[in-house]
Amino acid sequence: MTSLSPARTGGTTGSGGGSPAERLDERLGDPDAPGTLFSYANCAVLDEREEFPARVCGLLDAMGFARNYVPAALGGDLENYQDTLQLMRVLARRDLTVAIAHGKTYLGAIAAWVGADPAQAAWLAAEVRAGRVVSWALTERDHGSDLLSGEVTAEPYAGGYRLSGEKWLINNATRGQVICVLARTGPERGPRSFGLFLVDKRRLPPGTWHPLPKVPTLGIRGADISGIAFSAAPLPGDALVGAPGAGLEIVLKSLQLTRTMCASLSLGAGDQALRLAGEFTAERRLSNRRLTEFPHTRRMIAEVFADLLLAEAVSIVGSRSVQALTGELSVVSAVTKYLVPTIVDEMITTSRDILGARALLTGVHAHGTFQKLERDHRIVAIFDGSAHVNLASLITQFPAIARAHRDGLTDEAGLAEAVTLSGPLRGLDTGRLRLMTRTGCSLLSGLPADFGAASLPAAVRPLAARLCEISAALHRELAEVRPSSDAMPAEAFSLAERYTVCYAGAACLWLWSRNRRWAASSAVSALWSDGRWLDACLRRVLARLGDTPPGGDDVFDGLHEVLVRRRDAGHLPSLLPHRLAGGDVPWEEGR
Ligand SMILES: Cc1cc2nc3c(=O)[nH]c(=O)nc-3n(C[C@H](O)[C@H](O)[C@H](O)COP(=O)(O)OP(=O)(O)OC[C@H]3O[C@@H](n4cnc5c(N)ncnc54)[C@H](O)[C@@H]3O)c2cc1C
């Protein structure tokens, strides 16, 4: 097996054989080529048949891809969350069903990396490395995101537990060998009444459990979305992860890691949307002109590209923050899980407008991939915490966020690590995860009012200054909110949405200012030169904040030009260097 192990700095170099993500892409082969197993065409056929992508998952297993779900300290390749984000994005860029079906094991195992004792963690690590499927069962039919109302019970019995009840809408509940189950261990309502159990289905006596039927879904149709019912299923005492009563806390901390990494699914979907819309505008002729020759269409494509870069900036900083700003991940993960799928949903909507009728046709254009993408991506905003859940989580943290901002409290070393792409990342210490941030959010608290006035390109300075003003005013508003879990004020949700957008703008500013020298000598230099992408992204940020800056035609035209050049040279449209396997279909040359 060729190792897919990550580079310490986050796979940004693109040299010496490429980043781990480039190498994976290369090994998977050209997704447009007829002989490639993990191809767009094959995935479209499987979706049509609602068939589980077993052969593609088998290919990933044969490559040892699941090693990326296991921390290096436990014998896996998971060392750097930014690399894992980009690796998962490679899968999602080809097909979300595969990424979600295979990647579920990462979600299922994560609670063990956060809360299990060394022996349990080592056992699960060996299972995952050997290709066993692990699923994660939190949700119940009558209690979606309301985990506190869960009714599955684990009753203490003969030194172990007896597990009873039903978990429903569980990814890989039927196919998985191991399932990590959140269950009530005490009758009283409250966060300390739950335990988390690693349930090895292979060891359960027959008749004590059964899988529930596959639930037909609008998107990711081939995935095993089913459930599992237990009836006094006996569990050994060592199935319990962490201390008795600590189950919900472990889940909430683990969700910070999974919510951040869900961004990889949306980024891959965003890559697909841009690819499909871009290729279409290059080949479609109307009134004897190609669609790209219409300024409005070019602008739409450029805005979709700018939004992808914005989502990518948030995701890169988020994934690096897992290690660099672990104590603030309660904020960072909620921002990332709310904003990245939201932006990509909007990109998909704009791409649908561009594609017109072909967005709706199943077999006519590009294997009908677009209508599949549109259906598939809808799930990302729902599972692992809906938009509402993530915004509510931010609202409960408003007091700490506002206080840290007022006092200028910033973890400077952590911030520098999170935003400096060529720098090393410390190892993840899960002991530093907090249910609520104590230090606010360094990315925004550390944003000086005159951010890099001298070092930013002249055209970008007024945009940056405006963002800093809006962010300062917003933080004053956050300080006025008194969150209560009983009734969150409705206006607080729009403040939380605005907060996530300010975070995105700050991520762009930090990334550009800390990496422009590195980028100048990399394969992405054209995108970074003169702050081209930064200008476009800040315009998109300000527009989202209701403050659309004047002009911008030249900025977006310039961005469109870079996009086309990068695509025609066989590179992924991204802030980071990434040569595509097969290069994809050119948009300009040879047409
Ligand atoms: C394809 C798929 C795969 C899944 N895989 C898994 C899995 O592997 N493991 C697992 O455990 N679960 C899984 N789920 C379940 C998923 O996590 C839940 O569906 C999700 O938590 C949301 O729950 P819900 O939509 O059922 O509804 P609810 O939580 O009942 O929410 C309904 C609506 O109310 C909103 N809402 C929620 N709380 C509040 C509130 N306090 N105030 C006001 N509005 C609120 C929500 O945002 C939503 O709009 C999966 C679901 C799907 C569709």
Side-chain angles (χ1 to χ4, degrees):
M1 194 205 76
T2 305
S3 170
L4 300 170
S5 68
R8 278 190 76 217
T9 54
T12 53
T13 56
S15 59
S19 67
E22 277 178 297
R23 295 201 296 274
L24 170 65
D25 214 14
E26 191 62 41
R27 292 184 67 200
L28 292 174
D30 179 355
D32 272 312
T36 302
L37 176 61
F38 194 178
S39 67
Y40 302 131
N42 280 347
C43 292
V45 169
L46 292 172
D47 180 68
E48 194 62 31
R49 295 191 202 137
E50 302 194 25
E51 185 178 323
F52 188 84
R55 285 183 63 216
V56 181
C57 287
L59 171 72
L60 295 174
D61 287 342
M63 291 167 67
F65 189 81
R67 293 177 65 87
N68 292 293
Y69 309 147
V70 179
L74 291 166
D77 289 340
L78 174 54
E79 195 171 18
N80 176 313
Y81 280 77
Q82 188 195 340
D83 278 341
T84 305
L85 176 98
Q86 299 295 354
L87 289 167
M88 289 302 299
R89 176 184 184 175
V90 169
L91 306 189
R93 183 174 177 275
R94 291 174 187 237
D95 184 50
L96 276 172
T97 308
V98 169
I100 290 170
H102 202 275
K104 183 70 209 182
T105 291
Y106 162 75
L107 272 68
I110 199 91
W113 316 149
V114 171
D117 66 35
Q120 283 171 319
W123 171 76
L124 194 65
E127 292 287 332
V128 176
R129 287 198 314 265
R132 310 278 185 267
V133 174
V134 185
S135 61
W136 203 16
L138 307 177
T139 306
E140 298 175 14
R141 203 179 289 262
D142 292 335
H143 318 289
S145 35
D146 182 10
L147 299 181
L148 272 177
S149 298
E151 292 177 74
V152 169
T153 55
E155 177 199 355
Y157 175 75
Y161 297 87
R162 284 196 303 205
L163 190 64
S164 299
E166 186 186 286
K167 291 286 181 183
W168 182 75
L169 276 191
I170 308 302
N171 187 2
N172 284 338
T174 302
R175 299 180 73 91
Q177 287 86 24
V178 179
I179 181 160
C180 185
V181 179
L182 181 70
R184 180 176 288 285
T185 47
E188 55 291 335
R189 192 181 157 88
R192 308 300 302 179
S193 297
F194 291 88
L196 196 61
F197 297 87
L198 281 176
V199 179
D200 186 344
K201 281 163 59 183
R202 297 161 297 186
R203 292 178 60 194
L204 295 181
T208 61
W209 69 280
H210 64 269
L212 301 176
K214 173 175 160 63
V215 183
T217 47
L218 181 71
I220 56 165
R221 285 162 49 173
D224 164 20
I225 306 300
S226 52
I228 186 163
F230 301 100
S231 131
L235 304 181
D238 64 6
L240 178 71
V241 176
L248 199 62
E249 180 177 343
I250 296 169
V251 165
L252 293 176
K253 287 180 174 171
S254 305
L255 281 169
Q256 294 178 19
L257 299 173
T258 61
R259 285 177 182 165
T260 308
M261 301 310 278
C262 278
S264 62
L265 303 173
S266 290
L267 288 182
D271 292 337
Q272 285 196 46
L274 181 60
R275 173 178 67 81
L276 290 163
E279 283 174 8
F280 179 71
T281 57
E283 72 192 21
R284 183 75 173 160
R285 286 187 170 271
L286 286 180
S287 314
N288 230 6
R289 290 158 80 193
R290 277 189 296 144
L291 266 185
T292 34
E293 292 172 50
F294 294 92
H296 182 58
T297 312
R298 260 202 322 272
R299 174 69 174 248
M300 285 166 90
I301 289 285
E303 287 186 350
V304 168
F305 181 32
D307 282 354
L308 178 63
L309 298 178
L310 188 61
E312 190 180 34
V314 173
S315 310
I316 291 172
V317 174
S319 60
R320 293 181 69 87
S321 297
V322 168
Q323 290 161 254
L325 290 166
T326 315
E328 299 179 8
L329 207 60
S330 54
V331 174
V332 174
S333 61
V335 168
T336 308
K337 180 65 173 60
Y338 166 72
L339 191 61
V340 174
T342 302
I343 291 175
V344 171
D345 275 337
E346 289 173 17
M347 288 174 59
I348 291 173
T349 303
T350 308
S351 303
R352 182 179 64 205
D353 290 348
I354 294 170
L355 280 155
R358 275 153 189 79
L360 205 67
L361 306 179
T362 54
V364 173
H365 178 72
H367 318 290
T369 299
F370 186 83
Q371 52 79 31
K372 168 169 163 36
L373 167 70
E374 202 176 12
R375 289 185 279 107
D376 287 351
H377 187 254
R378 282 175 59 177
I379 184 57
V380 183
I382 294 173
F383 63 32
D384 254 37
S386 64
H388 175 97
V389 166
N390 285 294
L391 293 176
S393 162
L394 286 175
I395 295 168
T396 57
Q397 299 181 80
F398 276 177
I401 292 170
R403 207 165 36 246
H405 188 266
R406 183 197 64 202
D407 299 343
L409 193 61
T410 307
D411 174 350
E412 286 183 13
L415 175 60
E417 224 171 290
V419 299
T420 310
L421 298 178
S422 54
L425 274 170
R426 69 191 79 176
L428 170 62
D429 173 4
T430 55
R432 287 167 56 224
L433 289 166
R434 296 278 168 269
L435 292 179
M436 307 260 277
T437 179
R438 292 180 190 163
T439 50
C441 172
S442 294
L443 197 82
L444 277 161
S445 305
L447 195 67
D450 58 344
F451 191 93
S455 59
L456 291 177
V460 178
R461 277 179 224 156
L463 307 178
R466 187 69 192 120
L467 175 67
C468 292
E469 266 170 43
I470 293 175
S471 167
L474 177 68
H475 279 85
R476 287 193 290 275
E477 284 189 80
L478 302 189
E480 300 299 316
V481 178
R482 299 281 166 268
S484 127
S485 53
D486 291 340
M488 296 268 188
E491 322 77 75
F493 283 85
S494 80
L495 292 180
E497 281 174 27
R498 289 171 68 76
Y499 180 80
T500 65
V501 179
C502 286
Y503 179 99
C508 293
L509 280 172
W510 282 116
L511 280 180
W512 193 81
S513 62
R514 290 297 167 98
N515 302 290
R516 66 185 197 281
R517 289 201 182 83
W518 156 78
S521 57
S522 78
V524 283
S525 55
L527 186 59
W528 286 68
S529 77
D530 308 328
R532 196 168 286 176
W533 71 265
L534 178 64
D535 196 335
C537 284
L538 288 182
R539 285 174 183 279
R540 297 296 288 161
V541 162
L542 290 173
R544 281 174 182 275
L545 292 167
D547 206 82
T548 306
D553 284 350
D554 52 334
V555 175
F556 287 101
D557 258 350
L559 194 69
H560 186 267
E561 217 178 291
V562 176
L563 170 65
V564 171
R565 268 194 270 127
R566 284 201 63 67
R567 284 297 313 252
D568 286 356
H571 291 273
L572 180 70
S574 162
L575 294 173
L576 307 177
H578 182 112
R579 177 167 279 283
L580 292 163
D584 271 357
V585 180
W587 293 0
E588 287 290 344
E589 284 170 9
R591 285 184 184 278

